[in-house]
Amino acid sequence: MNILLLADHFPPSFAPRMGYLTRNLKLLGHKVYVVAITHHRDFNSFDFLQGYADRVCEVKSTNTSHLNTLISILRGTCTALRPMWTTTDTLYYKMCKDILAHHDIDCLLCSTSSFYPLLVAERLKDEGIPTILDFRDIYEQDETFYPRKGMAGILRHFQKKIRNRIIAKANAVVSVSSWHCQYLSQWNSNCTLIMNGFDEQRFSAQLPWVGEKIRIVYTGTIATPKGDISAHSPILLFEAISELPKAKRNRLEVIIYTDSNSISALKPLIEKYTLQDVVQCNNWVKSDMVPSILRDSSALLILSNHGNKGVMLTKSFEYMAMNRPIICLPNPDSQLEKALLDTGTGFVLRDKNSIMHTLELLVDEKLAIRPNAETIMNFSRMSQAKQFEKLMTNIISK
């Protein structure tokens, strides 16, 4: 198959789902042509996923202030005579048309975690290209992150209306959790679940790590841009650690790799619970360093609270592959909890006493897991690519 991948971001910019998919579709014998924003993000780059696409057309990112966004919409709408069309959409469309002029494209896959470039996908679908929409995130999943008031809230309202219209037109829709699929199926009944996963070339079962202390590792964002930690709160964990017997507490360390905004939000909590000797906050590390960081751990931490709907974090699957106990708290999505139980890789803890008991078992080296290797491999990136391949084949043959 010749596949046109239209995406908001593509490596080295953030978007590992599409980067891994491109690599594996190539391994399966397909050609992939990409149009996306690819600018480098220092905090979390994916340089190692470059070089697999047959062609990458880079869309230059623009200033996203509300005023500039409004100006871009007015200019684009007047030029293309399509509501909410932006000057960035025009760049996307021109690059797609150039690829279509030189290659026989069998299928269009549009992947996004926001709104753009859905309007471009709709226009190409109207021109007769079989189209799959892949939603890594949607606005409705997290009420603490996506604005609902002011200019941004108004913009989101209209974007959701247009998004739903575009969803109804697509040949198929894909998303990352059962909650997402159930929600999106209101507008398109052909909605398929293809979860995120782990790269089996980089993440695999490791021998137990031996260090001076029992080390719990967390990688990822905790706070929103405004400093809200409610969706990924470590408070229950901090409370439990602070009440551990001194001898056990002294053997424990928690190392958090996150962004500067999250570090600022965590520092007052660390001081409040007097955990400066236990909890260490480090800056982001490059993505290619993550496997070694996870390997040098005794256990891995997932923070998932109310407010997130259907959020199946990529790190959850990467953790599952590492043969380390996963400590998940306090209130994960039910599908995430099921995945942890089915793979035999983790423990879901919802109160301070169960967390304390689990930490004591961990310190005493009695916290055992029973990983199911076959079930874990169902979440590999190659398994994900084969699901996309099957879906594409189905919509092309109809």
Side-chain angles (χ1 to χ4, degrees):
M1 277 185 289
N2 290 340
I3 301 156
L4 174 56
L5 172 57
L6 182 64
D8 50 358
H9 290 279
F10 191 78
S13 176
F14 190 76
R17 180 174 171 89
M18 289 299 106
Y20 284 121
L21 178 61
T22 296
R23 185 198 69 187
N24 289 331
L25 286 174
K26 289 290 293 180
L27 291 173
L28 292 170
H30 306 291
K31 292 184 179 295
V32 183
Y33 304 91
V34 178
V35 179
I37 291 173
T38 64
H39 72 275
H40 197 282
R41 290 184 173 186
D42 291 335
F43 70 86
N44 202 354
S45 61
F46 288 84
D47 305 74
F48 60 92
L49 286 174
Q50 289 181 276
Y52 293 103
D54 292 271
R55 180 180 172 188
V56 177
C57 295
E58 178 183 3
V59 179
K60 300 293 184 182
S61 60
T62 56
N63 191 318
T64 55
S65 70
H66 296 331
L67 177 60
N68 284 342
T69 298
L70 183 59
I71 292 171
S72 179
I73 290 172
L74 291 174
R75 286 177 177 171
T77 299
C78 292
T79 302
L81 301 178
R82 286 175 177 259
M84 295 293 287
W85 186 274
T86 67
T87 52
T88 302
D89 290 315
T90 299
L91 292 175
Y92 269 99
Y93 182 70
K94 287 181 177 179
M95 291 179 179
C96 289
K97 293 298 284 186
D98 184 62
I99 289 175
L100 290 165
H102 293 90
H103 304 282
D104 293 325
I105 297 298
D106 299 301
C107 179
L108 167 66
L109 172 61
C110 177
S111 180
T112 183
S113 60
S114 55
F115 178 71
Y116 68 93
L118 289 174
L119 282 168
V120 181
E122 178 187 37
R123 189 166 176 178
L124 294 173
K125 173 66 173 69
D126 289 344
E127 293 173 8
I129 302 176
T131 299
I132 298 172
L133 305 180
D134 174 60
F135 291 94
R136 309 191 303 276
D137 297 290
I138 59 175
Y139 298 132
E140 293 88 342
Q141 74 191 33
D142 188 349
E143 296 179 357
T144 64
F145 186 82
Y146 294 109
R148 291 177 291 169
K149 298 179 180 179
M151 178 65 71
I154 294 171
L155 182 63
R156 293 285 179 268
H157 173 77
F158 285 106
Q159 286 177 334
K160 286 189 286 187
K161 293 286 187 182
I162 295 171
R163 178 203 66 189
N164 297 343
R165 180 194 73 208
I166 298 171
I167 289 172
K169 288 185 177 183
N171 295 85
V173 176
V174 174
S175 200
V176 294
S177 80
S178 295
W179 181 87
H180 284 81
C181 288
Q182 183 178 6
Y183 186 84
L184 295 172
S185 64
Q186 296 176 74
W187 299 282
N188 191 318
S189 60
N190 188 17
C191 195
T192 300
L193 169 64
I194 302 180
M195 292 188 188
N196 284 316
F198 68 94
D199 177 20
E200 59 273 35
Q201 296 182 20
R202 301 177 60 237
F203 299 90
S204 59
Q206 302 292 315
L207 295 173
W209 176 74
V210 179
E212 293 182 4
K213 290 192 174 185
I214 302 299
R215 178 180 295 175
I216 300 174
V217 168
Y218 177 91
T219 59
T221 300
I222 290 179
T224 67
K226 293 184 179 180
D228 185 353
I229 66 166
S230 60
H232 304 286
S233 175
I235 290 177
L236 269 178
L237 176 67
F238 288 0
E239 287 180 350
I241 295 173
S242 69
E243 295 185 23
L244 284 175
K246 186 176 181 180
K248 296 187 184 295
R249 171 193 162 119
N250 289 344
R251 289 208 59 213
L252 190 65
E253 64 179 356
V254 178
I255 302 182
I256 298 172
Y257 294 88
T258 190
D259 58 281
S260 58
N261 185 53
S262 295
I263 291 174
S264 297
L266 287 173
K267 281 184 176 179
L269 286 174
I270 294 170
E271 293 173 1
K272 175 181 177 180
Y273 292 100
T274 321
L275 296 177
Q276 294 91 330
D277 59 328
V278 178
V279 180
Q280 175 184 329
C281 292
N282 294 335
N283 291 323
W284 281 115
V285 294
K286 292 291 184 71
S287 299
D288 54 4
M289 295 173 60
V290 171
S292 61
I293 287 172
L294 301 186
R295 183 183 65 237
D296 295 342
S297 68
S298 308
L300 302 169
L301 177 64
I302 296 174
L303 299 172
S304 182
N305 206 344
H306 285 305
N308 286 333
K309 301 183 183 75
V311 178
M312 300 288 285
L313 302 167
T314 296
K315 64 171 157 279
S316 305
F317 303 103
E318 294 172 348
Y319 286 4
M320 292 175 196
M322 297 299 294
N323 193 34
R324 299 285 185 269
I326 298 171
I327 297 173
C328 181
L329 59 99
N331 231 317
D333 178 271
S334 59
Q335 192 166 15
L336 173 56
E337 181 171 7
K338 183 178 186 302
L340 291 172
L341 295 176
D342 288 348
T343 57
T345 55
F347 305 89
V348 177
L349 311 173
R350 291 189 168 87
D351 60 77
K352 182 176 64 179
N353 290 335
S354 64
I355 298 170
M356 289 178 64
H357 176 66
T358 301
L359 293 177
E360 289 180 338
L361 289 174
L362 181 63
V363 169
D364 294 337
E365 300 183 26
K366 295 180 180 179
L367 187 63
I369 56 173
R370 295 177 176 81
N372 185 322
E374 183 177 351
T375 304
I376 291 171
M377 288 307 295
N378 289 335
F379 298 114
S380 73
R381 292 291 185 180
M382 180 54 80
S383 174
Q384 176 190 70
K386 289 178 179 178
Q387 292 175 73
F388 271 105
E389 179 187 45
K390 181 179 179 181
L391 181 60
M392 291 175 187
T393 301
N394 287 341
I395 71 164
I396 291 171
S397 63
K398 289 183 178 179

Short mmCIF file of all heavy atoms in Angstrom, two decimals, residues 50-75:
data_model
loop_
_atom_site.label_atom_id
_atom_site.label_comp_id
_atom_site.label_asym_id
_atom_site.label_seq_id
_atom_site.Cartn_x
_atom_site.Cartn_y
_atom_site.Cartn_z
N GLN A 50 13.41 9.01 13.11
CA GLN A 50 13.51 9.66 11.81
C GLN A 50 14.08 8.68 10.78
O GLN A 50 14.76 7.72 11.10
CB GLN A 50 14.45 10.87 11.90
CG GLN A 50 13.87 12.05 12.68
CD GLN A 50 14.83 13.21 12.71
OE1 GLN A 50 15.73 13.26 13.53
NE2 GLN A 50 14.65 14.16 11.80
N GLY A 51 13.78 8.97 9.50
CA GLY A 51 14.43 8.25 8.42
C GLY A 51 13.67 7.04 7.89
O GLY A 51 14.18 6.35 7.00
N TYR A 52 12.49 6.77 8.40
CA TYR A 52 11.74 5.58 7.95
C TYR A 52 10.73 5.91 6.86
O TYR A 52 10.42 5.06 6.01
CB TYR A 52 11.03 4.92 9.13
CG TYR A 52 11.99 4.32 10.13
CD1 TYR A 52 12.27 4.96 11.33
CD2 TYR A 52 12.65 3.12 9.86
CE1 TYR A 52 13.17 4.42 12.25
CE2 TYR A 52 13.54 2.57 10.76
CZ TYR A 52 13.80 3.23 11.96
OH TYR A 52 14.70 2.70 12.85
N ALA A 53 10.18 7.11 6.85
CA ALA A 53 9.17 7.47 5.84
C ALA A 53 9.83 7.60 4.47
O ALA A 53 11.01 7.94 4.34
CB ALA A 53 8.50 8.79 6.22
N ASP A 54 9.06 7.31 3.42
CA ASP A 54 9.56 7.46 2.06
C ASP A 54 9.74 8.92 1.68
O ASP A 54 10.58 9.26 0.86
CB ASP A 54 8.61 6.77 1.09
CG ASP A 54 8.63 5.26 1.27
OD1 ASP A 54 9.46 4.60 0.64
OD2 ASP A 54 7.84 4.75 2.09
N ARG A 55 8.95 9.77 2.30
CA ARG A 55 9.10 11.22 2.11
C ARG A 55 8.43 11.92 3.27
O ARG A 55 7.37 11.49 3.73
CB ARG A 55 8.47 11.66 0.79
CG ARG A 55 8.59 13.17 0.51
CD ARG A 55 7.94 13.53 -0.82
NE ARG A 55 7.88 14.97 -0.99
CZ ARG A 55 7.23 15.58 -1.98
NH1 ARG A 55 6.59 14.85 -2.90
NH2 ARG A 55 7.20 16.89 -2.08
N VAL A 56 9.05 12.98 3.77
CA VAL A 56 8.47 13.79 4.84
C VAL A 56 8.40 15.23 4.38
O VAL A 56 9.44 15.83 4.03
CB VAL A 56 9.28 13.70 6.14
CG1 VAL A 56 8.67 14.61 7.21
CG2 VAL A 56 9.33 12.27 6.66
N CYS A 57 7.22 15.80 4.34
CA CYS A 57 7.02 17.21 4.04
C CYS A 57 6.79 17.96 5.35
O CYS A 57 5.79 17.70 6.04
CB CYS A 57 5.84 17.41 3.10
SG CYS A 57 6.06 16.68 1.47
N GLU A 58 7.69 18.85 5.68
CA GLU A 58 7.61 19.53 6.97
C GLU A 58 6.77 20.79 6.88
O GLU A 58 7.03 21.68 6.06
CB GLU A 58 9.01 19.90 7.46
CG GLU A 58 9.00 20.65 8.78
CD GLU A 58 10.38 21.09 9.23
OE1 GLU A 58 11.35 20.86 8.48
OE2 GLU A 58 10.49 21.66 10.32
N VAL A 59 5.76 20.88 7.73
CA VAL A 59 4.94 22.08 7.84
C VAL A 59 5.53 22.94 8.96
O VAL A 59 5.76 22.45 10.08
CB VAL A 59 3.48 21.73 8.17
CG1 VAL A 59 2.64 23.00 8.31
CG2 VAL A 59 2.89 20.83 7.10
N LYS A 60 5.81 24.19 8.66
CA LYS A 60 6.37 25.08 9.67
C LYS A 60 5.29 25.45 10.69
O LYS A 60 4.18 25.85 10.32
CB LYS A 60 6.91 26.35 9.02
CG LYS A 60 8.02 26.10 8.00
CD LYS A 60 9.28 25.57 8.68
CE LYS A 60 10.41 25.43 7.65
NZ LYS A 60 11.63 24.86 8.27
N SER A 61 5.62 25.31 11.96
CA SER A 61 4.65 25.68 13.01
C SER A 61 4.57 27.20 13.10
O SER A 61 5.53 27.92 12.79
CB SER A 61 5.07 25.09 14.35
OG SER A 61 6.34 25.57 14.73
N THR A 62 3.43 27.69 13.54
CA THR A 62 3.22 29.13 13.64
C THR A 62 2.93 29.52 15.08
O THR A 62 2.63 28.68 15.93
CB THR A 62 2.05 29.57 12.75
OG1 THR A 62 0.88 28.82 13.12
CG2 THR A 62 2.35 29.31 11.29
N ASN A 63 3.00 30.80 15.35
CA ASN A 63 2.69 31.32 16.67
C ASN A 63 1.23 31.00 17.02
O ASN A 63 0.33 31.26 16.23
CB ASN A 63 2.91 32.84 16.70
CG ASN A 63 2.86 33.41 18.11
OD1 ASN A 63 2.01 33.03 18.91
ND2 ASN A 63 3.79 34.29 18.41
N THR A 64 0.98 30.45 18.20
CA THR A 64 -0.37 29.98 18.55
C THR A 64 -1.09 30.90 19.53
O THR A 64 -1.96 30.46 20.24
CB THR A 64 -0.29 28.57 19.15
OG1 THR A 64 0.62 28.57 20.28
CG2 THR A 64 0.18 27.56 18.12
N SER A 65 -0.70 32.17 19.61
CA SER A 65 -1.45 33.09 20.46
C SER A 65 -2.87 33.19 19.92
O SER A 65 -3.13 32.95 18.73
CB SER A 65 -0.79 34.47 20.47
OG SER A 65 -0.96 35.10 19.21
N HIS A 66 -3.80 33.56 20.79
CA HIS A 66 -5.20 33.64 20.38
C HIS A 66 -5.39 34.62 19.23
O HIS A 66 -6.16 34.36 18.29
CB HIS A 66 -6.07 34.05 21.56
CG HIS A 66 -6.10 33.05 22.67
ND1 HIS A 66 -5.92 31.70 22.45
CD2 HIS A 66 -6.28 33.19 24.02
CE1 HIS A 66 -6.00 31.06 23.60
NE2 HIS A 66 -6.21 31.95 24.56
N LEU A 67 -4.68 35.77 19.28
CA LEU A 67 -4.82 36.78 18.23
C LEU A 67 -4.31 36.24 16.90
O LEU A 67 -4.98 36.37 15.87
CB LEU A 67 -4.06 38.04 18.63
CG LEU A 67 -4.07 39.17 17.57
CD1 LEU A 67 -5.50 39.61 17.28
CD2 LEU A 67 -3.23 40.35 18.05
N ASN A 68 -3.11 35.61 16.92
CA ASN A 68 -2.55 35.08 15.68
C ASN A 68 -3.40 33.94 15.12
O ASN A 68 -3.53 33.79 13.90
CB ASN A 68 -1.12 34.61 15.91
CG ASN A 68 -0.14 35.76 16.00
OD1 ASN A 68 -0.44 36.87 15.56
ND2 ASN A 68 1.02 35.52 16.56
N THR A 69 -3.97 33.13 16.03
CA THR A 69 -4.85 32.05 15.58
C THR A 69 -6.07 32.62 14.88
O THR A 69 -6.49 32.13 13.82
CB THR A 69 -5.28 31.19 16.78
OG1 THR A 69 -4.13 30.59 17.38
CG2 THR A 69 -6.23 30.08 16.34
N LEU A 70 -6.66 33.67 15.47
CA LEU A 70 -7.85 34.29 14.88
C LEU A 70 -7.53 34.90 13.51
O LEU A 70 -8.29 34.73 12.55
CB LEU A 70 -8.39 35.38 15.82
CG LEU A 70 -9.68 36.09 15.37
CD1 LEU A 70 -10.81 35.10 15.19
CD2 LEU A 70 -10.06 37.16 16.39
N ILE A 71 -6.38 35.58 13.40
CA ILE A 71 -5.96 36.16 12.12
C ILE A 71 -5.77 35.07 11.07
O ILE A 71 -6.19 35.19 9.92
CB ILE A 71 -4.67 36.99 12.30
CG1 ILE A 71 -4.95 38.23 13.15
CG2 ILE A 71 -4.09 37.38 10.95
CD1 ILE A 71 -3.71 38.99 13.55
N SER A 72 -5.14 33.95 11.50
CA SER A 72 -4.89 32.84 10.59
C SER A 72 -6.20 32.24 10.10
O SER A 72 -6.34 31.90 8.92
CB SER A 72 -4.05 31.77 11.29
OG SER A 72 -3.81 30.67 10.44
N ILE A 73 -7.18 32.11 10.99
CA ILE A 73 -8.49 31.57 10.62
C ILE A 73 -9.20 32.49 9.62
O ILE A 73 -9.75 32.03 8.61
CB ILE A 73 -9.37 31.35 11.87
CG1 ILE A 73 -8.82 30.19 12.71
CG2 ILE A 73 -10.82 31.08 11.48
CD1 ILE A 73 -9.51 30.04 14.05
N LEU A 74 -9.17 33.80 9.89
CA LEU A 74 -9.83 34.75 8.99
C LEU A 74 -9.20 34.72 7.60
O LEU A 74 -9.90 34.69 6.58
CB LEU A 74 -9.75 36.16 9.59
CG LEU A 74 -10.59 36.39 10.85
CD1 LEU A 74 -10.31 37.77 11.43
CD2 LEU A 74 -12.08 36.24 10.55
N ARG A 75 -7.87 34.70 7.55
CA ARG A 75 -7.18 34.66 6.26
C ARG A 75 -7.47 33.36 5.53
O ARG A 75 -7.79 33.35 4.33
CB ARG A 75 -5.67 34.81 6.47
CG ARG A 75 -5.23 36.23 6.82
CD ARG A 75 -3.73 36.25 7.08
NE ARG A 75 -3.25 37.60 7.36
CZ ARG A 75 -2.03 37.88 7.78
NH1 ARG A 75 -1.15 36.90 7.98
NH2 ARG A 75 -1.66 39.13 7.99
#
